[in-house]
C-alpha cells in the first residue's frame, strides 16, 4: 500500500494533520488503533488558560499567554507554530465543520459551567454550549433527570453558585430534577444513552412539557450533553421554541457526546477529501533508510502489512494512548525509538499534591521537535527527515496545567499536515 503521507494516530492532532495534507491534494492514510481522547474530552477546545509556571492567575487571554510562551519557552509546541500559525490552524479546523459549529478565538477566554459545578475556562466552544457562557449574567436553570446516573442538578447548582461567587461572576443558578417515566422504567440511564433517545421527538416533547413550568425567570436552560448523539441542532431548537429560553449543554464526564459529534464531523470531512481511514490497526515498527522512514509495519486483519509513503506524521498521543510508554526505567517512544524528554527519575514524576499549581513533571514529558516539527535530539539535530510530530506526544507542553490540550493538537496537527506536503 503506497501513499504520499501516512499519519499514525487518529486522535484530534492526527485527523487534523490528515485533513491539512489532503487539502493540498496528497494521498493520505490514517492508521490508528484507537480513537484517542476525542471521546473523553469535554468537546471544548482549550487553547490556553494558564501560564505553565506556578501562577494560578487566569489568562488574561490565550493570545497574551502564547506571546509569553514565545518569549520564555522556545520549544513549546505553540512557540513552534507561532501565533499567526495557530490562528490559521483554528480557521482550518472551523472550516472542516458545519458553518458556525464552533465559536471563539485566541483573543478571549470563554468560561463555561461544568457538570460538577466548577468553571471551565476554554477557547473554542461548540454551538450547543455557547449559551452557557458565564459572562452573560442573568438567571440560569439547570435541569437533571431522575435516574440519570452521571449528572445531578442538585449537586451541580449549589457548587456552581459557590464557584460563581468566588469568581465574582453575576449569573444566578437554579437546579431542578424532573422525572420522566421512560427513563426511570429502565432502571435509569447515562447521559450518552439519553442523548441517543432524545433524537426521538415524542420523548423530547415529554421532556419539554415537564421543564416548561420550571423555567420561570430563567433566560437560559442548561442540560447535560443529551441534545442528540449525532447532531444537537434540531433537538436544541425544538427545546428552545417550547421552553421560550435559550438552551445549552453542560460539559460533563466521559464518554463524551460532544466529542463523538466532533469526531463524526471531522471524519466526514476526511471522507470528502478521500483520506483512507484505517481505524483499529496498529503500527508496530518502522523500516528506515538512513534518516528517512521508508515504510511502517501495520497489524491489520491478523496479518502484518507493509505500508510505504514519502512522509509520515507521528500523532500517537501521550502515555494514555500508547504514543509514549512508561517503564520502571523511564518513558519510551515505541514506534521510532525517539528520545523522550522526561524527568530524571520515577521519584520526581509527580508532585505530592494532585492540584499542585506547578503541575506534574511527567505531564511535560515527550518528544522535542524543531520549528518544522521534525523530531530532534538535545542538540537540536534532526533525527528523522521525513517524519513530523504533532499533538500530545510533543514535550514542553502541560495540557492539564495550561488547559491547552486540543488547541495544541489542532495547531501542531495543521502545521505538520501542511509541511508534510513538501516531502
Ligand atoms: C479525560 C481527558 C479530558 C480532556 N479534556 C479536554 C478538554 O476538555 N479540552 C481540551 O482542549 N483538551 C482536553 N483533553 C486533552 C486533549 O483531549 C488531548 O490533549 C488531545 O486530544 C490529544 O490529541 P492527540 O491526537 O495528540 O492524541 P490522542 O488523542 O491520544 O490520540 C492518539 C492516537 O494514536 C493512536 N495510537 C497510539 N499508538 C499507535 C500505534 N502504534 N499505531 C496506531 N495508532 C496508535 C491512539 O490509539 C490514539 O487514537 C483531555 C484529555 C483527557 C485525557
Amino acid at each position: 500500500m503506497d501513499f504520499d503521507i501516512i499519519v499514525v494516530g487518529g486522535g484530534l492532532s492526527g485527523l487534523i494533520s490528515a485533513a491539512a495534507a489532503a487539502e493540498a491534494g496528497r494521498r493520505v492514510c490514517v492508521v490508528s488503533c484507537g480513537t484517542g481522547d476525542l471521546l473523553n474530552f469535554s468537546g471544548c477546545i482549550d487553547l490556553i488558560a494558564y501560564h505553565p509556571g506556578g501562577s494560578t492567575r487566569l489568562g488574561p487571554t490565550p493570545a497574551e499567554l502564547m506571546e509569553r510562551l514565545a518569549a520564555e519557552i522556545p520549544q513549546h509546541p505553540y512557540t513552534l507554530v507561532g501565533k499567526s500559525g495557530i490562528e490559521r490552524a483554528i480557521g482550518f479546523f472551523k472550516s472542516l465543520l458545519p458553518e458556525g459549529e464552533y465559536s471563539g478565538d485566541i483573543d478571549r477566554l470563554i468560561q463555561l459551567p461544568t457538570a460538577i459545578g466548577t468553571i471551565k475556562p476554554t477557547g473554542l466552544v461548540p454551538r450547543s454550549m455557547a449559551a452557557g457562557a458565564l459572562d452573560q449574567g442573568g438567571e440560569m436553570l439547570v435541569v437533571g433527570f431522575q435516574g440519570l446516573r452521571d449528572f445531578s442538578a442538585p449537586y451541580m447548582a449549589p457548587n456552581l453558585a459557590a464557584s460563581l461567587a468566588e469568581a465574582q461572576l453575576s449569573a444566578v443558578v437554579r437546579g431542578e430534577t424532573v422525572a420522566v417515566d421512560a427513563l426511570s422504567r429502565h432502571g435509569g440511564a447515562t447521559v450518552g444513552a439519553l442523548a441517543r433517545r432524545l433524537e426521538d421527538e415524542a420523548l423530547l416533547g415529554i421532556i419539554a412539557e415537564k421543564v416548561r413550568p420550571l423555567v420561570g425567570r430563567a433566560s437560559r436552560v442548561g442540560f447535560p450533553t443529551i441534545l442528540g448523539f449525532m447532531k444537537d441542532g434540531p433537538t436544541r431548537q425544538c427545546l428552545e421554541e417550547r421552553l421560550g429560553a435559550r438552551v445549552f449543554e453542560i460539559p460533563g464526564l466521559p464518554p463524551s457526546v460532544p466529542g463523538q459529534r466532533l469526531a463524526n464531523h471531522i471524519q466526514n470531512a476526511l471522507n470528502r477529501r478521500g483520506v483512507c481511514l484505517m481505524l483499529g490497526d496498529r503500527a508496530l515498527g518502522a523500516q528506515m533508510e538512513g534518516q528517512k522512514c521508508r515504510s511502517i509495519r501495520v497489524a491489520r486483519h491478523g496479518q502484518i502489512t507493509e505500508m510505504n509513503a514519502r512522509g509520515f506524521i507521528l500523532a500517537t498521543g501521550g502515555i494514555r494512548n500508547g504514543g509514549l510508554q512508561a517503564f520502571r526505567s523511564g518513558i519510551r517512544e515505541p514506534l521510532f525509538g525517539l528520545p523522550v524528554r522526561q524527568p530524571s527519575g520515577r521519584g520526581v514524576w509527580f508532585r505530592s499534591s494532585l492540584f499542585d499549581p506547578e503541575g506534574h513533571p511527567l505531564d511535560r514529558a515527550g518528544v522535542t521537535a524543531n520549528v518544522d516539527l521534525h523530531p530532534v535530539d538535545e542538540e537540536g539535530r534532526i533525527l528523522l527527515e521525513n517524519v513530523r510530530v504533532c499533538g500530545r506526544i510533543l514535550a514542553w507542553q502541560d495540557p492539564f496545567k495550561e488547559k491547552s490540550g486540543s488547541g495544541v493538537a489542532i495547531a501542531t496537527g495543521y502545521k505538520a499536515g501542511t509541511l508534510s506536503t513538501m516531502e
Side-chain angles (χ1 to χ4, degrees):
M1 278 197 260
D2 287 0
F3 291 92
D4 294 321
I5 313 290
I6 293 176
V7 178
V8 187
L12 187 57
S13 66
L15 297 182
I16 297 291
S17 71
E23 188 85 350
R26 298 297 182 272
R27 285 170 310 140
V28 182
C29 178
V30 177
V31 177
S32 189
C33 55
T35 47
D37 282 332
L38 266 173
L39 304 192
N40 290 322
F41 94 123
S42 65
C44 305
I45 307 293
D46 297 347
L47 293 176
I48 180 165
Y50 297 96
H51 186 268
S55 165
T56 52
R57 200 169 73 90
L58 190 61
T61 65
E64 285 170 67
L65 287 166
M66 286 163 187
E67 274 164 20
R68 278 187 70 186
L69 290 179
E72 296 167 15
I73 312 179
Q75 306 92 335
H76 191 286
Y78 272 150
T79 309
L80 302 178
V81 179
K83 206 164 92 175
S84 58
I86 297 166
E87 286 188 286
R88 275 198 299 280
I90 292 171
F92 179 71
F93 165 74
K94 288 180 179 174
S95 76
L96 297 175
L97 312 175
E99 181 79 27
E101 187 68 15
Y102 271 74
S103 58
D105 54 45
I106 64 170
D107 293 318
R108 186 164 81 100
L109 274 173
I110 300 171
Q111 300 196 70
L112 295 180
T114 72
I116 56 170
T118 55
I119 297 176
K120 177 175 178 57
T122 192
L124 311 179
V125 299
R127 190 170 13 205
S128 69
M129 295 180 191
L134 292 168
D135 58 358
Q136 291 170 22
E139 185 174 325
M140 163 190 296
L141 170 67
V142 171
V143 177
F145 298 89
Q146 249 176 40
L148 197 60
R149 296 192 201 118
D150 43 2
F151 182 87
S152 161
Y155 176 76
M156 179 207 164
N159 282 352
L160 181 60
S163 304
L164 288 166
E166 197 182 332
Q168 296 178 341
L169 288 164
S170 62
V172 174
V173 58
R174 182 161 52 88
E176 299 279 1
T177 302
V178 297
V180 178
D181 286 348
L183 274 183
S184 343
R185 238 197 336 260
H186 297 287
T190 59
V191 166
L194 187 53
R196 277 190 201 284
R197 296 180 60 193
L198 234 68
E199 280 159 359
D200 164 8
E201 229 178 276
L203 181 57
L204 193 59
I206 294 170
I207 288 175
E209 285 308 306
K210 298 258 179 184
V211 175
R212 193 166 40 200
L214 306 172
V215 174
R217 288 150 55 112
S219 56
R220 45 191 172 147
V221 181
F223 290 90
T225 52
I226 56 168
L227 301 182
F229 205 80
M230 299 304 278
K231 45 187 178 177
D232 60 283
T235 313
R236 189 166 37 79
Q237 280 154 18
C238 176
L239 279 173
E240 285 183 342
E241 276 162 26
R242 294 183 192 201
L243 300 180
R246 294 185 73 193
V247 164
F248 64 95
E249 287 186 319
I250 300 161
L253 301 173
S256 168
V257 175
Q260 179 69 65
R261 286 185 207 129
L262 179 60
N264 292 343
H265 286 314
I266 299 178
Q267 286 186 10
N268 288 341
L270 293 179
N271 289 336
R272 288 195 298 275
R273 286 164 177 78
V275 173
C276 167
L277 289 173
M278 286 173 46
L279 304 181
D281 299 341
R282 179 182 294 276
L284 301 174
Q287 274 71 49
M288 305 298 300
E289 215 174 83
Q291 285 193 307
K292 286 199 165 181
C293 175
R294 280 284 144 250
S295 61
I296 54 169
R297 281 179 295 113
V298 176
R300 180 169 170 71
H301 304 319
Q303 294 183 332
I304 308 289
T305 303
E306 183 106 2
M307 296 183 62
N308 302 297
R310 280 190 284 152
F312 294 83
I313 296 176
L314 184 65
T316 45
I319 294 172
R320 271 175 51 76
N321 290 318
L324 299 174
Q325 291 178 344
F327 297 92
R328 288 203 157 270
S329 52
I331 317 293
R332 292 188 214 147
E333 188 286 304
L335 197 56
F336 292 100
L338 291 168
V340 176
R341 180 180 184 267
Q342 57 190 288
S344 56
R346 277 170 67 93
V348 288
W349 280 4
F350 302 103
R351 292 183 214 280
S352 51
S353 162
L354 180 61
F355 299 110
D356 192 300
E358 299 268 355
H360 298 283
L362 185 66
D363 291 335
R364 293 176 202 197
V367 172
T368 299
N370 67 8
V371 286
D372 291 328
L373 298 181
H374 287 304
V376 293
D377 65 15
E378 275 180 11
E379 275 76 47
R381 288 182 296 243
I382 294 174
L383 296 168
L384 299 168
E385 288 169 3
N386 64 340
V387 176
R388 321 259 171 180
V389 190
C390 62
R392 179 66 187 103
I393 192 175
L394 286 165
W396 299 91
Q397 63 180 309
D398 184 342
F400 304 109
K401 166 74 213 299
E402 298 163 4
K403 304 280 176 229
S404 62
S406 301
V408 165
I410 290 171
T412 56
Y414 177 69
K415 181 161 185 174
T418 311
L419 290 177
S420 71
T421 61
M422 293 184 212
E423 309 298 347

